[in-house]
Amino acid sequence: MIFSLHIQARSHPAMLEKILQTTRVRGFAIRAMDVKSNDDECLLKVHLTVESERPQERLVAQLHKLGGIQELTALHAVADPVAPAARSARNLSVMCPA
């Protein structure tokens, strides 16, 4: 299954590395990644597309535990090889305390 994650995190050294390591250790393969840094707000905005047969909640729970994650939205998409346009989406939003 393919999952998209939208993450806002405090921009500090190694934050992106922690996100990527957690993703890898939990058994999710990264298929695409987009990272933007907002220096004015000291934020990293990360969009990850990952693939795994494991449930997305496993990754979301572990990422939520990382210090510095401020907001996490997980979109679940199931790609049908016969009809690529047919997708099922479900939102999981987690607001993290500042």
Side-chain angles (χ1 to χ4, degrees), residues 20-97:
L20 296 176
Q21 180 181 20
T22 301
T23 302
R24 178 186 55 81
V25 168
R26 294 297 165 204
F28 291 79
I30 296 173
R31 296 294 174 228
M33 179 174 68
D34 181 41
V35 180
K36 293 185 174 134
S37 178
N38 183 336
D39 292 333
D40 295 338
E41 298 175 21
C42 294
L43 279 179
L44 278 178
K45 294 183 180 183
V46 182
H47 175 83
L48 283 178
T49 302
V50 297
E51 185 173 1
S52 181
E53 292 303 316
R54 298 177 182 199
Q56 72 177 355
E57 290 82 7
R58 181 176 180 163
L59 178 58
V60 169
Q62 292 303 312
L63 288 173
H64 182 61
K65 291 178 185 179
L66 294 178
I69 300 289
Q70 293 183 341
E71 185 176 334
L72 179 77
T73 303
L75 304 171
H76 169 138
V78 179
D80 180 358
V82 176
R87 294 182 186 246
S88 166
R90 176 177 58 156
N91 291 332
L92 290 176
S93 292
V94 179
M95 295 297 290
C96 302

